[in-house]
Every structure is written in C-alpha cells, then in structure tokens.
Amino acid sequence: MRIPKRSEFALVWTTSAFSTVGTRTLGVAYPLLALGQTQSPTAVGWTGFALAVPVLILYVPWGLLVDRISPRAVMLFAEFCRCLTVATVLVAMFFGGPSLAHLIIAALVEGALWGLCNLAETAMLPSLVQPVTMWRALAKSEGAAHFASLAGRPLGGYLFGAGSYIPFAMNTALFAVSWGLFFSLPRTFERRPAGVSLLHDLSEGFRVLRRLEFLRSAVRLVTLTNLLVNTLIMIFIAGSAGMSSATIGLVLAVGGVGGGAGAVVAFFREPGRSILRVHAWIWLLALTVAMLGALLAAQGEAWPYFALAFFLTGFGGALSNVAIRVAEVTLISPGELARVVAVARLCSFGALSLAAPLGGALVTWYGVTGGSILLFAVMLIIMGVSWRHDGLTPPMPDIPRSFRHSYRAKQALRRAHRTMRTANERVRLAKLIVDTIEEVVVGGDADMTEAEPAVGRLAPAGSQITGQSLGVRFEVSGQRGCRCGDCASCELRSRPHPA
C-alpha cells in the first residue's frame, strides 16, 4: 500500500533531521576523541580537516551519481555505511582504540556520505511534494536543518563529557533508525541514460547554472555574503579574549536561532521577487551593527552587537535559502537537479573554507575594529553595484504559488461547483413545471400535483407563480425554507385564479 505523499515528505524530513543532528554531534565528537586519544592539537586539526574536505572534492561527482541512481537507493546506502562506520569506532573504543588513522578514515567517510545524503534528499523532493506546496515543504526542511545544527553541536559536547562512547552509540542508533525508515519510501525512479561522456555529464551542472540568471546571481551573491559573515565569525572569535566560553557559545548559537526564525517566517509568508536584494540589505544592516559593536568595544561589551548581527544574517540566510531551493526545484529538470545543487553548494562551502584564514589575516593586519570596518566597506560596495546593475540581484522568476493561494483557489472552486449544482437543479425543476403546464395547455387534464413539489422546491417560501392564461395559480406558504411540497407544513396547493 502506497504511503500518501504528505507522509512520504514527513518521513524524509524526519530522517533528514536525524541525519543532521548526527552530523553535528559527530563534528564535535570526532575531534574531541582524537584529542583524548593522542593529546595532540595537530590530531584535532587533521580530524576536523577530514570531516570537511570530502565535501569540496566529492560534491560534483556525488551530484552526477544522484542524478543517475535512485535517490532512495543512495540514501539507503549512505545511511547504512554511516551506521557501520560509527559502529566500528564505538566497538574499537571498548578495546582501547580507535587509532588516529581509524578516526581520520571514519571522519572522511562521514563527511563524504553526509554530502551524498544532502544531495539525495534534494533530488527526492520533486517526487514527494506538489509544486504549490513546495515552498512550505522547503521552509520546514530549512528550519529543521537550523534547529538540528543548533542542538547538535552543544549536544555532542555534552554527551562526550558524560561519556566518550555515548555520542557514537547514539549516532549508531540514529543512523540505523534512518536506514530503516527509508525502506518505507516507494521505489519510483526511472534510470536516466548516460550522456556523451563522463566529463560532459560532470560539467552539466555548471552549464545549466550559467543559463539560469536568477540562480547564477544567487550563487554568486550567497557565496560572497557567506564569506563575509564567516570571516566576521572568525574576527569575533579572535577578539573574544576575556569573554567566558558560555558567552562565546551563546553569541555563535544566535545565528542558528535567526535561521530558525527565518524559516518560520518563510513558511507563513513567501519572500517576494526581490529576495536577493532583501538578502543584500539584511547583510549590510548586520555588518553595520557589527562595525558599531567593534567601534564601541572600548566603552562596553561588544558581544550584544555581534549577536544581533549573527541573528540578522541567520534570518536573512534562511529566507533566501528557501527561495533559492524553490527556484532550483522548479526551474531545473529532475535529471540535472543534483548536479546543479552540487555546484551551488560547492561554491558556498568553498567560501567557508576561505573564511578562517581570511579572518585571521584581517585581525592580524587591522585588528578587530579594522577588520569589521573593512567587511562593512566590501558589503557597501556590493550594495552599490547591485543598485546600479540588476545583474547581481535579479528578480525571482515566476513559480507556482504557495499552498495558501492554492487553498483559497480550491475553496473558490468548491463554491463554484455548489452554485452550478444548485443552478442545474433549478433548471431541471423549471423544466418539469413547463412540461406539466404544456400538458394543461394541450390536453387540459394534466395532474397538477406532479408539478406542485417542483414549484415548492424552486420558489422561495411565500412567493407566488401565476399563469392567468391558464386560470391556475400556485401559492407556496407555510414554514420558511420548506419547499419539499410533500409535508403538511409546506401546505402547497393550487386553486383557480379569479377571473
């Protein structure tokens, strides 16, 4: 028996949230375990690098794989391998391990398979969600990702502190549950033929992205703004000497809260056609607030300003992410979707990789205040360019309206159908009356009781239908609204019309 589409999406949404929580907790647990096993900061760095580098190398090939193979099969394979990988680390911990090499390999596998799951989920959405409800579905997915990320990192640190094996045991169970849930999804996929060559297929995502003006400009703008905000995070961390670790963690977590709030707003209200320009204005406002905080740092605490800046960027990022994802699913054919999304995500993650060294360099050269002012100046230049040339922030193309408008249209259609049924019933009853009266005209002996119920249902209570040429009048009386013509309360009757 086939699961309803709404339930299918809820299943994918739930398993995706489980997967994101697992990824974020492991992103903390793997480096902490490496530090505990080796007591070496270098080992921590290599483990963190192993988690991040597969995304940069494998995103585009993964996109081609997801476009060629069923997304359901891809997710089943990825979740099973993730479960198996974490389980090997968990088992090794009970025997005095794992070794550093084992940890790095496990981190490489986790980073690679997380990117594969992410692309498969995106490719699966068009077959699970109707176009008019896509907006809300993607807003739910965006909100789940933000809240899962917000909860995953501190949860990973807390669980590791309670027991180093606990986060790995929890993720083994989470990935096993996700793997089991994906078996409930239907096997609906048509194998797509290979292209001219492997290189041609790999580069197809770049060519499609070049043809679509809105998505091309969105990727360019989001890559720049992601680079700016993550550089700002590094500037804040570099200048956080004297702050408590709780304060630093709270400020950084506010960005996730902003992202969740933006996803909620996107669920109830669609961002307009000028979403890219709104995105740029929000970033300019956020960097202005951060610059003010850096300038006023000598007079008081600067962290509230940075917290507000991170909230604004999270909020604006969620709005634009939902709009961009809707455009991707709507404008790109299913056979090319994963490759185009892979190119867009590759640019975004590339900006994240550059942010750390760039932020450190700015603080070294100009300090926290100078670095914040420089980021504001760059964003101001971007806004100036976008104001004069729409190529950087083009309007969003027309897409199917959201569920809210679809619901109103369905309600209006139901009312129209009810009106048509009522009109058809009245026409049928009027025809019955006319046929009966014609019998009176022709034969003079028709039984008028056959027409009386029709008159009773057709005419409002208290009205009169007269036919002076026939010498007959029908009068409807009795209870208001009763037009059955049969009951005593209706009291439908006929009598000769006075001459």
Side-chain angles (χ1 to χ4, degrees):
M1 181 177 178
R2 182 179 173 84
I3 302 175
K5 283 186 176 294
R6 183 175 298 180
S7 300
E8 290 174 2
F9 171 72
L11 186 65
V12 173
W13 181 54
T14 303
T15 52
S16 176
F18 286 165
S19 179
T20 304
V21 169
T23 299
R24 300 312 179 199
T25 55
L26 290 175
V28 175
Y30 274 126
L32 288 177
L33 184 59
L35 181 62
Q37 293 291 99
T38 65
Q39 308 301 318
S40 170
T42 303
V44 175
W46 279 111
T47 306
F49 178 77
L51 284 166
V53 71
V55 173
L56 299 175
I57 297 175
L58 296 174
Y59 235 143
V60 174
W62 278 167
L64 175 60
L65 180 67
V66 173
D67 279 339
R68 292 272 186 88
I69 303 176
S70 164
R72 175 183 178 273
V74 169
M75 298 192 82
L76 283 171
F77 168 78
E79 291 299 298
F80 177 78
C81 291
R82 293 173 82 185
C83 177
L84 188 63
T85 303
V86 179
T88 62
V89 175
L90 179 63
V91 171
M93 293 177 70
F94 291 102
F95 295 94
S99 64
L100 179 60
H102 187 175
L103 275 177
I104 290 176
I105 292 173
L108 283 170
V109 172
E110 168 60 27
L113 294 179
W114 174 80
L116 187 60
C117 282
N118 192 273
L119 289 175
E121 178 197 356
T122 301
M124 194 181 293
L125 281 176
S127 64
L128 301 179
V129 183
Q130 297 296 331
V132 293
T133 64
M134 186 65 69
W135 200 288
R136 288 192 165 189
L138 290 173
K140 287 182 180 179
S141 177
E142 182 73 15
H146 280 286
F147 287 120
S149 298
L150 184 64
R153 291 189 179 97
L155 181 62
Y158 174 78
L159 292 177
F160 192 88
S164 59
Y165 66 92
I166 294 179
F168 298 96
M170 184 196 76
N171 281 289
T172 301
L174 278 180
F175 293 147
V177 170
S178 298
W179 179 68
L181 289 175
F182 275 119
F183 273 109
S184 303
L185 293 175
R187 301 182 182 184
T188 55
F189 180 78
E190 296 181 2
R191 184 174 295 276
R192 302 181 181 103
V196 178
S197 66
L198 181 62
L199 182 61
H200 181 274
D201 285 349
L202 282 173
S203 59
E204 183 66 20
F206 294 93
R207 287 193 293 271
V208 173
L209 198 60
R210 284 185 59 188
R211 292 198 300 266
L212 301 173
E213 181 188 11
F214 174 78
L215 289 178
R216 183 180 69 246
S217 301
V219 169
R220 186 165 52 221
L221 179 63
V222 169
T223 300
L224 288 172
T225 53
N226 279 351
L227 177 61
L228 292 177
V229 71
N230 285 282
T231 303
L232 182 65
I233 290 174
M234 298 309 300
I235 289 175
F236 167 74
I237 293 174
S240 61
M243 294 185 192
S244 66
S245 57
T247 301
I248 297 172
L250 178 64
V251 172
L252 296 178
V254 167
V257 176
V264 171
V265 172
F267 180 81
F268 290 103
R269 181 177 178 82
E270 301 169 348
R273 286 171 55 83
S274 58
I275 181 61
L276 294 184
R277 183 157 291 182
V278 171
H279 176 91
W281 276 109
I282 291 175
W283 246 254
L284 181 62
L285 177 61
L287 291 174
T288 303
V289 171
M291 181 186 65
L292 290 176
L295 291 172
L296 299 174
Q299 303 176 10
E301 296 286 348
W303 68 264
Y305 294 91
F306 281 94
L308 178 57
F310 295 147
F311 178 87
L312 290 172
T313 55
F315 182 86
L319 289 177
S320 55
N321 283 347
V322 173
I324 292 169
R325 292 181 67 186
V326 170
E328 288 171 345
V329 173
T330 306
L331 300 177
I332 302 170
S333 67
E336 301 169 335
L337 179 59
R339 278 171 284 179
V340 177
V341 172
V343 173
R345 304 281 169 81
L346 176 64
C347 296
S348 183
F349 279 102
L352 296 179
S353 302
L354 291 174
L358 180 59
L362 289 180
V363 173
T364 302
W365 296 335
Y366 306 109
V368 174
T369 303
S372 301
I373 293 174
L374 183 60
L375 293 181
F376 167 76
V378 172
M379 193 65 222
L380 192 61
I381 293 172
I382 293 174
M383 281 301 304
V385 172
S386 68
W387 188 262
R388 293 183 61 86
H389 304 284
D390 289 339
L392 188 61
T393 56
M396 187 175 181
D398 292 329
I399 58 173
R401 303 302 291 171
S402 71
F403 176 77
R404 180 176 69 252
H405 302 288
S406 172
Y407 177 76
R408 291 177 178 174
K410 289 178 181 178
Q411 291 294 95
L413 187 61
R414 290 192 187 100
R415 289 194 295 269
H417 284 165
R418 286 196 296 268
T419 302
M420 289 178 62
R421 285 196 297 269
T422 303
N424 291 336
E425 180 69 11
R426 288 177 176 271
V427 169
R428 187 183 67 81
L429 296 175
K431 184 178 179 182
L432 175 61
I433 295 172
V434 170
D435 291 344
T436 306
I437 293 176
E438 285 179 352
E439 292 181 12
V440 173
V441 173
V442 175
D445 57 352
D447 185 4
M448 296 305 297
T449 59
E450 184 180 357
E452 290 174 358
V455 176
R457 290 193 296 271
L458 183 64
S463 63
Q464 293 182 348
I465 302 177
T466 62
Q468 295 187 14
S469 61
L470 302 177
V472 175
R473 177 175 66 193
F474 296 101
E475 179 182 299
V476 182
S477 61
Q479 294 182 355
R480 185 172 182 82
C482 180
R483 306 183 184 93
C484 64
D486 298 325
C487 64
S489 61
C490 187
E491 297 182 359
L492 183 66
R493 58 186 181 276
S494 65
R495 60 176 181 271
H497 190 277

